[in-house]
Amino acid sequence: MPAHPRIPNPQEGELQLFAYDLRELGEGKVSVPWIAEHEETSVSKAALYAALSGTRLPKRETVSTLLRWWAGDPASEDPDLDDYYIEPVWSWIDRLPRDHEGRRLADHWRTRYQRLSRDVVGERGFRPRAERVAIAVPPEQQRFIRELNDLLGKTRLEDELWLLLGNLSSRVERYLAGKSIPTDQTCWMLADRLASFVPDLDRSDRLDAARRLILAAEVARAARVRDRRIARGGRTA
């Protein structure tokens, strides 16, 4: 992604209008490279820039990251109000004081993004389904499985999945078998649950474990999309 992505035309549709307004929101505020390099940022600079181009629907983690610095106020957040295991992506909004203007503005943008996401997904629903193809578990997904296995191993209860995870155990068995990949929200929930069985993990370690799992899952999903495209004879890049 170039350092200066094309300016979206707000007349071309809701997605372009959202990206255009998001760029306007960031005018005069901290730059994308600054946000990307911040120690609390887990989204790449390329993804942040892509969200400002209006070419595709950005992930909510990407939008939330930009909004935290452009609509919110990290300096006013109260870390004692952190509820990241319940709603990790937007938890920073709840850390703002109740009467803070940034909370109202952030809520407005979150609602706008959610509506945009529903509209875009709805439009995709009218497209014909892609041909189903069988692919092997890609190396990136195997790395995700190892990451999940490592976290399970730290509990020393990996042979007692039901005790660890209850009714989530069957889903985790599918993840470990390479049959599916959890959502980001599920990754946070799994990391929180598993970390609770590892006494020597502090809050920072739990966050790090969750972020590693989310990143591994994100890369694994992209790899499966790539390999399906290759299997269908489509483009490789």
Side-chain angles (χ1 to χ4, degrees), residues 151-208:
L151 192 53
L152 283 166
K154 290 178 180 177
T155 69
R156 304 195 178 192
L157 293 169
E158 60 267 38
D159 295 326
E160 302 289 344
L161 280 185
W162 182 259
L163 175 63
L164 278 171
L165 301 163
N167 57 11
L168 281 175
S169 58
S170 59
R171 289 162 63 180
V172 172
E173 288 173 349
R174 289 181 57 82
Y175 304 150
L176 295 173
K179 295 180 180 179
S180 61
I181 302 171
T183 63
D184 290 352
Q185 182 70 33
T186 301
C187 285
W188 278 95
M189 184 168 54
L190 284 175
D192 183 31
R193 177 67 175 168
L194 295 175
S196 68
F197 286 85
V198 187
D200 58 340
L201 284 185
D202 60 20
R203 182 169 176 271
S204 177
D205 292 330
R206 291 188 181 199
L207 279 172
D208 186 56

Side-chain angles (χ1 to χ4, degrees), residues 20-148:
Y20 181 87
D21 288 347
L22 191 58
R23 290 172 63 106
E24 290 291 300
L25 181 69
E27 283 295 321
K29 299 176 182 175
V30 294
S31 68
V32 167
W34 189 93
I35 296 174
E37 293 170 6
H38 194 278
E39 61 180 3
E40 295 184 30
T41 300
S42 59
V43 181
S44 70
K45 181 169 65 174
L48 296 175
Y49 274 130
L52 303 176
S53 68
T55 56
R56 61 176 179 172
L57 179 71
K59 293 185 176 181
R60 59 181 187 153
E61 292 84 353
T62 305
V63 173
S64 176
T65 298
L66 291 171
L67 291 178
R68 184 185 179 198
W69 299 102
W70 291 351
D73 181 7
S76 298
E77 293 175 13
D78 183 350
D80 293 334
L81 299 178
D82 205 337
D83 208 11
Y84 55 86
Y85 286 127
I86 296 176
E87 179 53 89
V89 174
W90 302 100
S91 62
W92 58 269
I93 298 177
D94 291 327
R95 293 197 298 268
L96 291 170
R98 287 288 177 185
D99 58 350
H100 197 287
E101 174 64 16
R103 178 187 282 264
R104 184 200 64 77
L105 183 57
D107 278 333
H108 164 76
W109 273 93
R110 173 170 57 179
T111 299
R112 183 176 174 183
Y113 172 76
Q114 290 170 340
R115 289 173 178 168
L116 174 68
S117 180
R118 286 196 297 268
D119 291 344
V120 171
V121 171
E123 291 175 1
R124 290 172 179 168
F126 292 103
R127 299 177 184 176
R129 286 183 174 272
E131 175 190 357
R132 294 181 65 89
V133 293
I135 60 172
V137 177
E140 294 87 346
Q141 188 175 358
Q142 293 172 17
R143 285 197 289 272
F144 164 77
I145 294 171
R146 288 196 296 272
E147 193 76 42
L148 180 56

Side-chain angles (χ1 to χ4, degrees), residues 10-19 112 116 119-120 123:
Q11 304 299 320
E12 291 182 358
E14 290 300 316
L15 181 58
Q16 292 78 11
L17 176 61
F18 181 87
R112 183 176 174 183
L116 174 68
D119 291 344
V120 171
E123 291 175 1

